[in-house]
Amino acid sequence: MGDRVHLPAVARTLLPVALGILTLLPHSLLGTPAEEEHVRNSALLQRAKRSWVWNQFFVLEEYTGLEPLYIGKLHSDMDKGDGSIKYILTGEGAGTTFTIDDSTGDIHAIQRLDREVKAQYILRAQARNRLTDRPLEPESEFIVKIQDINDNEPRFLDGPYQATVPEMSKIGTSVIQLTATDADDPTYGNSARVVYSILEGQPYFSVDAKTGVVRVSLADMDRETRENYTVVIQAKDMGGQLGGLAGTTTINITLSDINDNPPMFDQSKQPSAHMSIPESAPVGSVVGRIWAKDRDIGVNAEMKYSIIDGDGRDTFDISTDPTNLFGIITVKKPLNFENKPSYTLKVEGANTHLDPAFRHRGPFKDVTIVHVSIEDVDEPPQFDLPAYYVELPEDAEIGTMVKTVSARDPDAANNTVRYSIDRSSDPDKYFYIEITSGSLMTVRSLDREEVGWHNITILAMEMNNPTQIASVSVAVRVLDVNDNPPSLMHYLEAYVCENAKAGQLIQTVTAVDPDEPLGGQHFYYSLAPEAVNNPNFTLKDNQDNTAWILTRRGGWSQQDQTVFYLPIFISDGEQPVQSSTSTLTIRVCSCDQEGNVMSCNAEAYSLPASLSRGALIAILACIFVLLVMILLMLSLRTHRKKPYLCDEEENVHENIVRYDDEGGGEEDTEAFDIAAMWNPREAHHHLGKMRQDMLPEIESLSRYVPQACVMGGGSGDSNVHGYVLAKLLEADMDPCAPPYDSLQTYAYEGEGSVAESLSSLQSGTSNTDHEYDYLNDWGPRFKKLAEMYGVLETNSPPLW
């Protein structure tokens, strides 16, 4: 430390060391008789007291020696120097920053101390018996304070700094205040007493030595001349004395703009601005822009432009662009080179934000002259009117001239103009225009009821430049002429009830006329000349464009006459008068007491009136589809699937077993060969093969047939009977046969049979015996069948 500590600081360093040594000396060396007496009195009272007294140790920071720094010594009166006492040090930094010799009580600092890091340490010390480790003294607390030295320079923590000050500021105007901090102890010496000074930035700025406020020191600094300044400020401790530590910072100072310069148009090269624009430019087109330069910036340079004079102030306009710097000149009215080829504008540009402190430097505006030249452009022809309107009666003759349009070339060349009709505006070609004169004429008859308005587009084209085309609209209104007769409105049918009396109203008729007379429609009704003396009906004109149809008699009857035809004559009231005759069909219908129609011969006529052709076609198609479906179902029913037979080699005579149709009786020989039944082959019965699902039902078929006849032979009718029963029994015993026989599953009886159904489908489930006596009433055709079922007539011989 000796190299860094100055001579005046040596005394300050030795004084704390001496004070520390004195605090470590025992009281027996420094005590007075009064203190000794006090000790003796305390011993008599048996009060516990320490044999050492200390409060604080002082040590200088930043010790750089090679040996540990001696801080102080702990000593107890009980220490006889024999090493029986052990000194213990605890608390902040004990063992790491501070160590103690447990025998001698010497305290040393083993690390470099920095007051700016930690200014003091709180420690605790105690004397213990080395052998028993029992405390000989109560634990005491003391403080080690770190004494400051000037080892930290002042620092500007927020630097470098940015600052602004308005240009043209007065001397002494505050710019910014700086504060430098020193980590040294401000309460001890001058280590933390800072003094400010300016190293760079003079003579424009200065700094207050104590407060650090930077001020303007030069008047009328102009931003337009110099805008940015760099100022270096120094802060030095020790009150600025020699040997103090110093720190610096930089301030970048910018002069902010104020409106101290008027705008000026650049007239150094030419006193006025020249612009040009074609005459075809539409309204709103930009002609050009002008700029009144201002040395100021920001809002102080914003401008407002206006045309204050000149012959073009009504033709052109000026506005400020979004940056509020430039003036934009635009077209205000249509231009015409032939009328005026050039214009002169006197334009003024003025600042919008003024500073009252600098109004004496004004005026803050300037004026310039702008010349605008109009460029000639080959323009399309121009019509003398923007649109034409014409009224024409619908009975105008073909070739009538409607209107003559006129167009000319506005250019100086004045080229010849040719005319034509835009065919998209007249697709039906009602009109024609003469190509050179522009006369519009009709080429077809007009009909107001078909087309009431014609909006025609006329084209005009320059002869020498076909690309230059102009158009104009001609609206032709077709005026009405009474050229259509009136006719009955709505339906031309009516009805009269059979119970109608004379003078009864049966129909109110009205008429329509497509014409539109100026005075409104007015119709006159009467019966046609041939029906004036009609004995059945009469007509009454109500004079309100309606008429009533009344009966002249009663006693109407559909049997006498169902339809009456009544011709009605109708005329209008306009000139020339138009008239027509319409026939009203009146049908005779039966009605109830309230006059509602119940039935009428006109039903066949009402259907077509309410059904369209498409609906009738749909109905006929549905009927056709239904007929096809019915025929298909009948065909499927007559062609049922034959039952499956296990034995494919069955004899042809067995077709009676699997036949589904009874046929036409005994006279029907097409189904099978009846002669084969008279010589049947012998039936073989396999009695060992009894069916499990069905038992023979021979007894149920005929209770009158003896069972012996089934197996026995015979001749004549008995052969047929026996053969049928034998085949039935064989089918019942055959396990491969279907679980039914043909006699029980008839689905269709055949045509022409008066016996109706003979099916025994439910005979097996019936618990009652069937009576077959009615077979005798069916005639000779069913005689054999009656005999098979055991029905015997009283006068007939025995069957068997």
Side-chain angles (χ1 to χ4, degrees), residues 161-211:
Y161 298 88
Q162 303 290 334
T164 59
V165 63
E167 62 174 335
M168 298 295 175
S169 296
K170 296 180 180 180
I171 296 176
T173 302
S174 176
V175 179
I176 189 173
Q177 182 175 9
L178 304 180
T179 301
T181 59
D182 195 322
D184 294 325
D185 189 358
T187 62
Y188 183 75
N190 295 325
S191 298
R193 190 163 69 88
V194 178
V195 174
Y196 301 94
S197 61
I198 184 169
L199 302 181
E200 183 181 342
Q202 296 173 336
Y204 308 104
F205 299 96
S206 62
V207 63
D208 189 284
K210 295 182 178 180
T211 62

Side-chain angles (χ1 to χ4, degrees), residues 474-614:
V474 179
V476 179
R477 178 186 178 187
V478 181
L479 300 179
D480 183 55
V481 175
N482 191 25
D483 57 348
N484 292 280
S487 61
L488 284 183
M489 185 179 179
H490 302 302
Y491 304 102
L492 297 179
E493 287 192 4
Y495 70 92
V496 59
C497 295
E498 291 181 318
N499 56 1
K501 299 178 181 180
Q504 184 172 338
L505 173 66
I506 64 171
Q507 183 69 37
T508 301
V509 295
T510 58
V512 292
D513 191 341
D515 295 323
E516 293 182 356
L518 297 177
Q521 299 283 7
H522 188 75
F523 303 120
Y524 300 94
Y525 301 88
S526 63
L527 294 179
E530 65 272 17
V532 172
N533 297 322
N534 190 306
N536 300 311
F537 304 97
T538 183
L539 182 144
K540 179 183 178 182
D541 192 343
N542 297 322
Q543 301 299 320
D544 60 353
N545 290 340
T546 64
W548 287 351
I549 306 299
L550 305 173
T551 58
R552 276 190 173 183
R553 65 178 179 86
W556 305 91
S557 175
Q558 296 184 15
Q559 297 179 356
D560 297 339
Q561 186 174 352
T562 59
V563 179
F564 294 89
Y565 298 98
L566 186 65
I568 301 174
F569 180 81
I570 311 169
S571 64
D572 54 22
E574 294 293 322
Q575 296 296 329
V577 176
Q578 299 289 339
S579 63
S580 66
T581 300
S582 300
T583 301
L584 180 65
T585 302
I586 304 175
R587 301 185 181 277
V588 180
C589 302
S590 60
C591 305
D592 55 13
Q593 295 180 355
E594 298 179 356
N596 299 320
V597 177
M598 298 176 60
S599 65
C600 160
N601 288 340
E603 293 175 356
Y605 296 92
S606 62
L607 180 61
S610 59
L611 293 178
S612 63
R613 180 180 299 176

Side-chain angles (χ1 to χ4, degrees), residues 347-415:
V347 180
E348 178 186 79
N351 283 138
T352 56
H353 297 80
L354 301 179
D355 191 338
F358 296 92
R359 285 186 180 272
H360 61 279
R361 296 195 175 203
F364 288 86
K365 57 185 178 180
D366 197 12
V367 176
T368 189
I369 303 299
V370 179
H371 296 282
V372 180
S373 299
I374 309 302
E375 299 175 357
D376 187 23
V377 176
D378 189 6
E379 300 174 273
Q382 291 182 354
F383 287 92
D384 55 354
L385 292 176
Y388 297 90
Y389 171 77
V390 183
E391 292 182 349
L392 192 66
E394 61 179 327
D395 60 349
E397 297 181 357
I398 296 176
T400 301
M401 188 178 69
V402 180
K403 186 70 176 179
T404 299
V405 298
S406 177
R408 66 177 185 86
D409 183 10
D411 298 321
N414 195 15
N415 293 321

Side-chain angles (χ1 to χ4, degrees), residues 57 307 431 762:
F57 290 122
I307 300 176
F431 300 92
Q762 297 180 353

Side-chain angles (χ1 to χ4, degrees), residues 19 95 209 469:
L19 293 176
I469 301 176

